[in-house]
Amino acid sequence: MNRKSLLIAGLTTALLAACGSDSDSAPAPTPTVPETTVPKNVIFFLGDGMGLTTMTAARIYSVGEDGDLTMDTLPETAFVKTFSNDAQVTDSAPSMAAYMTGVKMNNEVVSMSQDTKAVDPVVDSAGNRLGNNCGANNGTPATTLLELAKAQGLGTGVVSTARVTHATPAATYSHICHRDLENDIAAALVPGATGYNSALGSNGLDVIMGGGSQFFKPAKDGGRRADGRDLVAELKAKNYAVASNTAELTAIDGTKTDKLLALFTSSHMSYDLDRDPAKEPSLADMTTKAMDVLARNGKGYFLMVEGGRIDHALHETTAKKALQDTVAFDNAIKAAIAKAKVTDPDLKNTLIVVTADHDHTLVLNGYAKRTGKTAAGNAGVLGVVKNYVTGEADKDLDGAPYSIIGFGNGENRVQASRAGQASLDDNATSANTYHQEAAVRMGVGSETHGGTDVFLGAIGKGADTFSGTIDNTRVFSLVKNAAGL
Ligand SMILES: [Zn+2]
């Protein structure tokens, strides 16, 4: 309910009270449902790197300038400041950790106190992360929303298209001085075993779903664990149902499953544009499966869902992949809202929050003529800028066309004059693998995050407490209070 509806509801109640609704003036007892019998659910959606320009571009790409993504329809919105404790521009670890813990920490630190220093892990020549260099007196764990939910006996789960040990999901269930320590982060998930995060109670998370099996498997089985442990086998022994492809996931009836571990790929899952649906499910299907499992807990649940690869496509400056992954993320939000409404039609007991952890440097150039959505034969927002009067390609000072989407920095920078780009057209710029041009030249895959505030949208229980421009640490308190965690 937004403020206006609340006001109207309040006014109606007052009027009814003043008029008297029947001859009996004694007030009717207010029917109350005992708090403990009502499940309370929180679904926290995080679009990694999904800045406002990426959201706008994804809207045009998917439904045209005048269409709406599901994210556009969320009734409550806010802007979020994302700077970290030591940096104007954050990485995913401290920004997600700020949402999860309310503590502003240093770049690369995962859900630890503010004084924690990020220390790179020991890495061998093959890039294997051998050991934890954090040091004995380097900060203390900061309690997360997921841990608070766990402490109340709620169900808990993480779903990501990235590795489930990557910074964003890691910040919900682990505490460590550096995000690259993914072997340690994976070990935090195995109840009772070495390295387990005991704040996850005696039985751990109920749902773990995404990519990244390499940090669960020993080196001899193609994994990257130097300690020889097989965490998939260990979790199986702890009664987790295990899936590794779409068919296996489909075969698992979530409504009859208490624990689910689904790791579909060795590293990150595929970009949605490249995804083989027989091998890897959509983020929407993963999300609704997780909701089935978690709904078995009568007290409710806390679920984190990450669109993890929007960020990676932006680092690579392949806009089409980033926009398609943003649409896949939006589809997951749509599916989650629809599913939640089946049992909670007005979302009175379900809070759904959608936000991003940081911006990137994607921009929309020029005064482009409206393109409508991208479809066969129409590049849409992925095309070159066309004059809104003549429909002809607009040219830069060097006489060359330029794409609507560009980047502040990235790998495709034309050195010197762009005159050689005279033949640039929609076919070139809308290709799946096209790297949009950048103002500042960087190495391959090294486009940076941006420091602009990000969008937050919310719907359901307590959603109307999100408004204005807020610090990322404030999101923690708002979710905690709205959900009663
Ligand atoms: Zn990120």
Side-chain angles (χ1 to χ4, degrees), residues 7-165:
L7 252 175
I8 291 166
L11 207 60
T12 312
T13 312
L15 279 170
L16 280 173
C19 300
S21 54
D22 58 31
S23 56
D24 184 358
S25 60
T30 313
T32 52
V33 183
E35 186 89 28
T36 50
T37 65
V38 179
K40 51 184 180 189
N41 305 319
V42 179
I43 309 179
F44 193 94
F45 280 97
L46 193 291
D48 201 312
M50 187 184 68
L52 280 161
T53 47
T54 297
M55 289 177 70
T56 303
R59 178 195 304 140
I60 301 170
Y61 166 78
S62 173
V63 290
E65 289 88 348
D66 54 0
D68 280 327
L69 295 172
T70 297
M71 294 186 276
D72 296 323
T73 68
L74 296 170
E76 310 295 343
T77 58
F79 293 110
V80 184
K81 303 174 187 176
T82 64
F83 67 93
S84 74
N85 189 49
D86 60 349
Q88 190 174 77
V89 177
T90 189
D91 73 280
S92 302
S95 51
M96 182 59 167
Y99 291 152
M100 291 300 111
T101 69
V103 177
K104 201 173 271 291
M105 58 200 74
N106 293 329
N107 271 14
E108 301 183 299
V109 173
V110 177
S111 294
M112 297 286 288
S113 53
Q114 194 164 62
D115 59 331
T116 308
K117 293 183 177 66
V119 187
D120 287 338
V122 184
V123 179
D124 71 9
S125 56
N128 290 308
R129 296 147 188 183
L130 298 179
N132 176 330
N133 245 346
C134 290
N137 297 305
N138 186 8
T140 52
T143 301
T144 70
L145 290 172
L146 186 147
E147 289 167 343
L148 291 173
K150 190 77 200 175
Q152 289 193 7
L154 271 60
T156 54
V158 294
V159 172
S160 177
T161 51
R163 299 190 292 263
V164 296
T165 50

Side-chain angles (χ1 to χ4, degrees), residues 46 48-49 91-93 95 168 179 306 311 357-358 360 449:
L46 193 291
D48 201 312
D91 73 280
S92 302
S95 51
T168 301
R179 55 182 287 172
E306 183 194 24
D311 173 74
D357 50 354
H358 52 78
H360 267 267
H449 296 175

Side-chain angles (χ1 to χ4, degrees), residues 315-377:
H315 281 306
E316 292 173 15
T317 59
T318 45
K320 189 172 183 180
K321 293 183 181 183
L323 302 191
Q324 179 59 35
D325 261 59
T326 304
V327 172
F329 177 65
D330 194 66
N331 286 339
I333 297 162
K334 184 179 186 179
I337 293 173
K339 190 172 181 70
K341 283 186 170 176
V342 171
T343 51
D344 184 8
D346 299 321
L347 300 181
K348 282 185 178 149
N349 304 304
T350 304
L351 169 64
I352 296 177
V353 175
V354 178
T355 189
D357 50 354
H358 52 78
D359 194 14
H360 267 267
T361 71
L362 185 146
V363 293
L364 299 173
N365 284 315
Y367 298 100
K369 180 184 170 73
R370 282 171 63 160
T371 63
K373 69 178 185 180
T374 300

